[in-house]
Amino acid sequence: MRVTIQDVQKMKRNAQPIPVLTCYDYTSAKILDSAGVPVLLVGDSLGMVVLGHETTIPVTMDMMIHHCRAVSRGAKNALIVFDMPFATCSPADPAGSLRNAARALAEGGAQAVKIEGGTHMAPVVTAFVGAGIPVMGHIGLTPQSVYQLGGYRVQGRDGAGQERLQADAVALEAAGAFSIVLELVPADLAARITAQVRIPTIGIGAGPHCDGQVQVFHDVFGLYEDFVPKHTKRYATVAATLREAAKTYITEVTQHRFPE
Ligand code: KIV
């Protein structure tokens, strides 16, 4: 049975931590689904860790749908969340935004979407939820605004920033979001927001007090070697294992040991 947004919300009520991982393809989706990861985020981080872009900005709806379809073919139990890419939803374009979010479910096979932004995105959240499209909010460091924010840095360091983020979380909950990602915010602020809202908070670089944690597949399994975020813990070193296996393959082929 597929995990629902109600199941995820019940996990918060039962004080059961919510593990979330990003996922971008069929094979990984099958592995994570069979391991029991309840929520898979088809993140636009795929632009960086899968496609090699420097930011998530070049990611398009078509790219996201391509990957989300693959994930939905592999994951039959997890709740699949589709990350709305850069400039595909905005309060300035309600019809276009709704059309894009509908594609995420109808073509991508997702059960929910994630959108970056706080109070100013509340009308978009309300419209999506009204159309039957569950929304995960995302505040703090919002990578699609990297140029506006001046880099990938911790948000909500001063009093004004903290008040803004708390207001953002409250506005997203009031608009109908079923959960909120808190990215790169101080742990004490994440704890306050988590206590303040009834919907689950999913942290990344936001300390241990969120209701759940999300991490990027390539970071936690040691596949992406260009950069390791400080908040990541490596649960495997797959790139090193693959490199060694590739060397063994080269040796065996060049020495006529494979095929036997
Ligand atoms: O795209 C992504 O992977 C994300 C997570 C880091 C939250 O937005």
XYZ file of all heavy atoms in Angstrom, residues 112-189:
556
model
N 2.507 14.079 -4.981
C 2.562 15.410 -4.363
C 3.645 16.221 -5.058
O 4.491 15.652 -5.761
C 2.884 15.281 -2.873
N 3.604 17.536 -4.864
C 4.673 18.389 -5.400
C 5.329 19.141 -4.248
O 4.739 19.298 -3.184
C 4.147 19.408 -6.449
C 3.520 18.692 -7.635
C 3.184 20.412 -5.833
N 6.565 19.581 -4.475
C 7.244 20.464 -3.521
C 7.500 21.791 -4.208
O 7.901 21.805 -5.380
C 8.561 19.845 -3.049
C 9.353 20.778 -2.133
C 10.534 20.080 -1.496
C 11.759 20.010 -2.356
N 12.263 21.331 -2.826
N 7.242 22.882 -3.494
C 7.555 24.189 -4.076
C 8.398 25.008 -3.103
O 8.202 24.948 -1.901
C 6.295 24.981 -4.511
C 5.348 25.258 -3.371
C 5.547 24.263 -5.597
C 4.079 25.992 -3.819
N 9.361 25.711 -3.652
C 10.241 26.550 -2.848
C 9.575 27.908 -2.609
O 8.964 28.460 -3.531
C 11.588 26.754 -3.561
C 12.401 25.475 -3.671
C 13.816 25.696 -4.199
O 14.230 26.872 -4.382
O 14.507 24.686 -4.440
N 9.726 28.417 -1.380
C 9.217 29.765 -1.089
C 8.231 29.757 0.059
O 7.560 28.759 0.309
N 8.136 30.915 0.733
C 7.303 31.027 1.920
C 5.999 31.754 1.695
O 5.217 31.387 0.803
N 5.766 32.807 2.476
C 4.477 33.500 2.494
C 3.995 33.886 1.090
O 2.813 33.731 0.780
C 4.607 34.770 3.371
O 5.147 34.357 4.636
C 3.276 35.438 3.577
N 4.915 34.352 0.246
C 4.493 34.812 -1.087
C 3.978 33.661 -1.951
O 3.263 33.893 -2.934
C 5.631 35.557 -1.805
C 6.755 34.665 -2.240
N 7.649 34.104 -1.354
C 7.131 34.228 -3.464
C 8.513 33.365 -2.023
N 8.220 33.428 -3.307
N 4.317 32.412 -1.580
C 3.834 31.267 -2.366
C 2.536 30.686 -1.800
O 1.980 29.732 -2.366
C 4.907 30.170 -2.428
C 6.149 30.557 -3.220
S 5.778 31.010 -4.933
C 5.682 29.392 -5.671
N 2.053 31.250 -0.699
C 0.845 30.694 -0.060
C -0.351 30.627 -1.024
O -1.060 29.615 -1.039
C 0.508 31.482 1.198
N -0.600 31.660 -1.851
C -1.737 31.550 -2.779
C -1.576 30.391 -3.771
O -2.565 29.761 -4.164
C -1.724 32.895 -3.533
C -0.911 33.819 -2.691
C 0.065 32.975 -1.932
N -0.336 30.102 -4.155
C -0.090 28.975 -5.074
C -0.423 27.664 -4.359
O -1.069 26.774 -4.922
C 1.385 28.978 -5.550
C 1.665 27.781 -6.451
C 1.722 30.284 -6.255
N 0.011 27.571 -3.100
C -0.274 26.351 -2.320
C -1.781 26.145 -2.214
O -2.299 25.046 -2.469
C 0.361 26.447 -0.909
C -0.007 25.222 -0.065
C 1.879 26.591 -1.003
N -2.495 27.207 -1.876
C -3.957 27.109 -1.732
C -4.593 26.630 -3.037
O -5.476 25.761 -3.026
C -4.545 28.483 -1.341
O -3.881 28.917 -0.152
C -6.039 28.414 -1.084
N -4.138 27.180 -4.156
C -4.724 26.811 -5.454
C -4.437 25.347 -5.774
O -5.321 24.605 -6.222
C -4.164 27.717 -6.548
N -3.208 24.907 -5.525
C -2.852 23.501 -5.815
C -3.686 22.568 -4.944
O -4.255 21.587 -5.433
C -1.365 23.245 -5.550
C -0.416 23.818 -6.592
C -0.872 24.642 -7.611
C 0.938 23.527 -6.545
C 0.009 25.170 -8.561
C 1.824 24.042 -7.484
C 1.358 24.863 -8.484
N -3.721 22.869 -3.650
C -4.455 21.990 -2.724
C -5.939 21.962 -3.103
O -6.577 20.903 -3.098
C -4.237 22.447 -1.258
C -5.138 21.679 -0.294
C -2.768 22.254 -0.869
N -6.456 23.119 -3.513
C -7.854 23.190 -3.951
C -8.120 22.335 -5.180
O -9.228 21.853 -5.400
N -7.059 22.140 -5.981
C -7.201 21.311 -7.187
C -6.864 19.848 -6.899
O -6.789 19.033 -7.825
C -6.282 21.854 -8.281
N -6.601 19.525 -5.634
C -6.338 18.124 -5.276
C -4.878 17.735 -5.389
O -4.557 16.549 -5.485
N -3.999 18.733 -5.399
C -2.561 18.447 -5.534
C -1.865 18.742 -4.196
O -1.708 19.905 -3.820
C -1.934 19.322 -6.647
C -2.655 19.054 -7.980
C -0.431 19.085 -6.757
C -2.307 20.036 -9.093
N -1.467 17.693 -3.460
C -0.806 17.924 -2.174
C 0.531 18.652 -2.352
O 1.262 18.393 -3.316
C -0.581 16.511 -1.620
C -1.551 15.648 -2.344
C -1.672 16.252 -3.721
N 0.833 19.548 -1.400
C 2.041 20.378 -1.520
C 2.923 20.248 -0.286
O 2.466 20.387 0.847
C 1.671 21.874 -1.693
C 2.937 22.725 -1.785
C 0.806 22.085 -2.926
N 4.208 20.018 -0.563
C 5.251 20.119 0.463
C 5.909 21.481 0.268
O 6.332 21.807 -0.852
C 6.261 18.981 0.239
C 7.453 18.966 1.169
S 8.578 17.580 0.745
C 7.887 16.268 1.739
N 5.954 22.296 1.321
C 6.629 23.597 1.205
C 8.136 23.417 1.354
O 8.625 22.331 1.679
N 8.876 24.484 1.125
C 10.345 24.426 1.254
C 10.823 25.842 1.552
O 10.712 26.725 0.700
C 10.945 23.896 -0.058
C 12.440 23.746 -0.042
N 13.107 22.947 -0.947
C 13.410 24.274 0.750
C 14.419 22.993 -0.720
N 14.620 23.816 0.306
N 11.337 26.025 2.780
C 11.823 27.356 3.173
C 13.227 27.236 3.775
O 13.727 26.142 3.990
C 10.858 28.056 4.175
C 10.662 27.204 5.435
C 9.521 28.354 3.505
C 9.817 27.895 6.515
N 13.822 28.394 4.069
C 15.204 28.436 4.528
C 16.058 28.684 3.299
O 15.752 29.573 2.490
N 17.099 27.884 3.112
C 17.852 27.998 1.858
C 17.004 27.376 0.757
O 16.698 26.186 0.808
C 19.192 27.275 1.939
C 19.890 27.281 0.576
C 20.476 28.641 0.268
C 20.939 26.214 0.475
N 16.631 28.191 -0.195
C 15.857 27.697 -1.338
C 16.789 27.811 -2.553
O 17.009 28.905 -3.082
C 14.570 28.540 -1.511
O 14.907 29.934 -1.374
C 13.531 28.169 -0.469
N 17.362 26.665 -2.976
C 18.459 26.714 -3.962
C 18.091 27.398 -5.279
O 18.965 27.923 -5.968
C 18.800 25.241 -4.180
C 18.373 24.558 -2.922
C 17.147 25.297 -2.464
N 16.803 27.393 -5.642
C 16.430 28.063 -6.903
C 16.625 29.584 -6.802
O 16.633 30.275 -7.818
C 14.980 27.735 -7.266
C 14.779 26.275 -7.652
C 13.320 25.857 -7.712
O 12.427 26.701 -7.708
N 13.077 24.557 -7.765
N 16.759 30.102 -5.567
C 16.978 31.549 -5.384
C 18.434 31.836 -5.038
O 18.738 32.851 -4.401
C 16.083 32.076 -4.257
O 14.746 31.753 -4.493
N 19.334 30.943 -5.437
C 20.737 31.078 -5.025
C 21.322 32.437 -5.415
O 22.102 33.026 -4.655
C 21.596 29.906 -5.586
C 21.572 29.840 -7.093
C 23.017 29.979 -5.063
N 20.926 32.967 -6.564
C 21.487 34.268 -6.981
C 20.923 35.402 -6.141
O 21.598 36.382 -5.837
C 21.224 34.506 -8.476
C 21.861 33.445 -9.365
C 21.158 32.886 -10.423
C 23.162 33.013 -9.134
C 21.742 31.910 -11.232
C 23.746 32.034 -9.931
C 23.037 31.483 -10.967
O 23.599 30.521 -11.752
N 19.662 35.273 -5.742
C 19.033 36.276 -4.886
C 19.644 36.232 -3.475
O 19.867 37.260 -2.843
C 17.522 35.977 -4.820
C 16.698 36.977 -4.052
C 16.596 38.306 -4.760
O 16.586 38.353 -5.985
N 16.553 39.381 -3.997
N 19.938 35.004 -3.018
C 20.431 34.821 -1.647
C 21.937 35.049 -1.539
O 22.475 35.156 -0.442
C 20.082 33.409 -1.145
C 18.592 33.073 -1.050
C 18.394 31.591 -0.710
C 17.897 33.949 -0.008
N 22.621 35.097 -2.678
C 24.062 35.364 -2.672
C 24.901 34.147 -2.331
O 26.041 34.278 -1.883
N 24.343 32.950 -2.485
C 25.126 31.732 -2.244
C 24.334 30.731 -1.429
O 23.212 31.000 -0.992
N 24.953 29.547 -1.252
C 24.291 28.480 -0.492
C 24.668 28.645 0.982
O 25.596 28.010 1.463
C 24.743 27.113 -1.016
C 24.350 26.854 -2.458
C 25.277 26.974 -3.486
C 23.043 26.505 -2.793
C 24.915 26.741 -4.807
C 22.670 26.273 -4.113
C 23.616 26.398 -5.104
O 23.253 26.172 -6.416
N 23.986 29.554 1.672
C 24.368 29.803 3.065
C 23.186 29.660 4.021
O 22.026 29.717 3.598
C 25.018 31.179 3.184
C 24.367 32.293 2.431
C 25.086 33.597 2.721
N 26.339 33.708 1.983
C 26.620 34.674 1.131
N 25.741 35.634 0.908
N 27.773 34.716 0.502
N 23.536 29.466 5.282
C 22.514 29.287 6.328
C 21.594 30.508 6.360
O 22.038 31.654 6.276
C 23.195 29.100 7.705
C 22.144 29.027 8.817
C 24.055 27.841 7.703
N 20.290 30.241 6.462
C 19.280 31.303 6.500
C 18.749 31.437 7.933
O 18.819 30.486 8.711
C 18.124 30.969 5.552
C 18.557 30.774 4.112
C 19.141 32.041 3.497
O 18.498 33.086 3.474
N 20.375 31.943 3.010
N 18.187 32.615 8.238
C 17.566 32.800 9.552
C 18.582 32.915 10.667
O 18.389 32.383 11.756
N 19.673 33.613 10.398
C 20.696 33.755 11.442
C 20.323 34.872 12.421
O 20.619 34.781 13.612
C 22.043 34.112 10.811
C 22.790 32.914 10.260
C 24.188 33.402 9.855
N 24.984 32.396 9.182
C 25.619 31.412 9.793
N 25.525 31.260 11.092
N 26.357 30.569 9.108
N 19.677 35.955 11.912
C 19.338 37.067 12.819
C 17.843 37.031 13.169
O 17.068 36.258 12.616
C 19.737 38.417 12.196
C 19.005 38.680 10.885
O 18.053 37.926 10.564
O 19.372 39.629 10.178
N 17.479 37.908 14.101
C 16.105 37.919 14.620
C 15.072 38.123 13.522
O 14.054 37.424 13.467
N 15.349 39.093 12.637
C 14.367 39.400 11.582
C 14.198 38.200 10.651
O 13.075 37.824 10.276
C 14.825 40.621 10.792
N 15.322 37.588 10.305
C 15.278 36.416 9.412
C 14.513 35.268 10.067
O 13.751 34.552 9.413
N 14.712 35.112 11.362
C 14.022 34.014 12.075
C 12.517 34.263 12.116
O 11.720 33.353 11.898
C 14.585 33.899 13.490
C 16.077 33.606 13.467
C 16.574 32.807 14.649
O 15.862 32.612 15.619
N 17.806 32.341 14.562
N 12.151 35.526 12.381
C 10.704 35.846 12.414
C 10.072 35.606 11.057
O 8.961 35.107 10.933
C 10.502 37.310 12.817
C 10.484 37.482 14.321
C 10.390 38.944 14.724
O 9.802 39.738 13.946
O 10.914 39.280 15.797
N 10.820 35.973 9.991
C 10.305 35.787 8.632
C 10.071 34.302 8.338
O 9.026 33.915 7.826
C 11.305 36.381 7.631
C 10.653 36.997 6.428
C 11.563 37.792 5.516
N 12.980 37.502 5.596
C 13.888 38.345 6.075
N 13.528 39.524 6.547
N 15.168 38.021 6.094
N 11.031 33.486 8.739
C 10.894 32.044 8.454
C 9.767 31.417 9.267
O 9.037 30.552 8.774
C 12.229 31.331 8.714
C 13.293 31.584 7.636
C 14.651 31.039 8.060
C 12.875 30.943 6.305
N 9.589 31.884 10.513
C 8.474 31.370 11.318
C 7.142 31.760 10.683
O 6.219 30.949 10.592
C 8.568 31.886 12.760
C 9.627 31.125 13.559
C 9.681 31.561 15.016
O 10.531 32.358 15.390
N 8.792 31.039 15.837
N 7.072 33.008 10.218
C 5.841 33.468 9.552
C 5.604 32.680 8.265
O 4.461 32.330 7.932
C 5.938 34.968 9.259
N 6.681 32.380 7.547
C 6.560 31.583 6.308
C 5.961 30.209 6.607
O 5.068 29.736 5.901
C 7.940 31.383 5.660
C 8.441 32.622 4.937
O 7.615 33.492 4.595
O 9.667 32.718 4.718
N 6.471 29.572 7.649
C 5.990 28.224 7.996
C 4.507 28.269 8.358
O 3.719 27.421 7.903
C 6.812 27.667 9.155
N 4.127 29.267 9.131
C 2.719 29.395 9.541
C 1.844 29.651 8.309
O 0.758 29.060 8.165
C 2.584 30.533 10.586
C 1.122 30.882 10.838
C 3.262 30.124 11.889
N 2.320 30.493 7.398
C 1.535 30.808 6.188
C 1.375 29.572 5.306
O 0.297 29.331 4.744
C 2.219 31.927 5.402
N 2.430 28.773 5.188
C 2.342 27.561 4.350
C 1.377 26.556 4.962
O 0.577 25.931 4.256
C 3.731 26.933 4.168
C 4.707 27.729 3.295
C 6.104 27.110 3.334
C 4.217 27.801 1.842
N 1.426 26.429 6.291
C 0.483 25.507 6.948
C -0.959 26.000 6.734
O -1.839 25.212 6.357
C 0.773 25.409 8.450
C -0.242 24.507 9.144
C 0.030 24.311 10.629
O 0.415 25.289 11.310
O -0.158 23.181 11.110
N -1.171 27.295 6.923
C -2.534 27.845 6.768
C -3.019 27.677 5.328
O -4.223 27.497 5.078
C -2.542 29.318 7.164
N -2.089 27.717 4.375
C -2.474 27.594 2.960
C -2.799 26.148 2.586
O -3.352 25.895 1.522
C -1.342 28.123 2.079
N -2.398 25.196 3.452
C -2.781 23.804 3.191
C -1.635 22.857 2.882
O -1.884 21.699 2.513
N -0.380 23.347 3.010
C 0.755 22.438 2.761
C 0.675 21.267 3.736
O 0.267 21.438 4.887
C 2.074 23.187 2.950
N 1.088 20.059 3.280
C 0.996 18.896 4.178
C 2.277 18.688 4.962
O 2.302 17.948 5.953
C 0.608 17.623 3.398
C 1.727 16.984 2.612
C 2.528 16.006 3.180
C 1.979 17.365 1.299
C 3.565 15.417 2.462
C 3.004 16.781 0.570
C 3.804 15.798 1.157
N 3.356 19.362 4.550
C 4.630 19.298 5.282
C 5.521 20.416 4.745
O 5.189 21.027 3.719
C 5.308 17.933 5.097
O 5.664 17.767 3.747
N 6.629 20.642 5.439
C 7.538 21.728 5.010
C 8.990 21.271 5.154
O 9.388 20.801 6.232
C 7.391 22.996 5.892
C 5.944 23.423 6.059
C 8.226 24.149 5.309
C 5.779 24.594 7.040
N 9.755 21.433 4.092
C 11.206 21.226 4.185
C 11.833 22.488 4.785
O 11.516 23.609 4.370
C 11.821 20.956 2.788
C 13.349 21.019 2.829
C 11.369 19.598 2.255
N 12.719 22.289 5.768
C 13.507 23.387 6.338
C 14.957 23.129 5.963
O 15.560 22.161 6.436
C 13.386 23.406 7.872
C 11.984 23.497 8.476
C 12.060 23.485 10.012
C 11.271 24.761 7.995
N 15.492 23.965 5.078
C 16.862 23.712 4.603
C 17.828 24.765 5.144
O 17.577 25.978 5.024
C 16.896 23.709 3.055
C 18.315 23.463 2.528
C 18.389 23.043 1.064
O 17.326 22.870 0.422
O 19.523 22.897 0.570
N 18.926 24.293 5.699
C 20.008 25.144 6.209
C 19.500 26.287 7.078
O 19.675 27.466 6.750
C 20.842 25.710 5.048
C 21.928 24.834 4.450
C 22.886 25.673 3.602
C 22.741 24.084 5.501
N 18.841 25.928 8.160
C 18.439 26.924 9.162
C 18.996 26.474 10.512
O 19.203 25.275 10.722
C 16.903 27.126 9.230
C 16.337 27.526 7.892
C 16.190 25.889 9.747
N 19.237 27.403 11.445
C 19.774 27.009 12.750
C 18.853 25.998 13.446
O 17.624 26.087 13.336
C 19.818 28.334 13.526
C 19.865 29.394 12.467
C 19.067 28.863 11.319
N 19.467 25.070 14.166
C 18.711 23.979 14.793
C 17.662 24.502 15.775
O 16.556 23.951 15.858
C 19.672 23.036 15.500
N 17.985 25.570 16.512
C 16.996 26.048 17.503
C 15.786 26.672 16.806
O 14.645 26.535 17.270
C 17.630 27.003 18.516
C 18.304 28.197 17.867
O 18.562 28.149 16.643
O 18.580 29.185 18.568
N 16.020 27.322 15.677
C 14.889 27.867 14.907
C 14.035 26.722 14.340
O 12.799 26.755 14.422
C 15.401 28.759 13.766
C 14.352 29.234 12.773
C 13.303 30.131 13.459
C 14.994 29.995 11.602
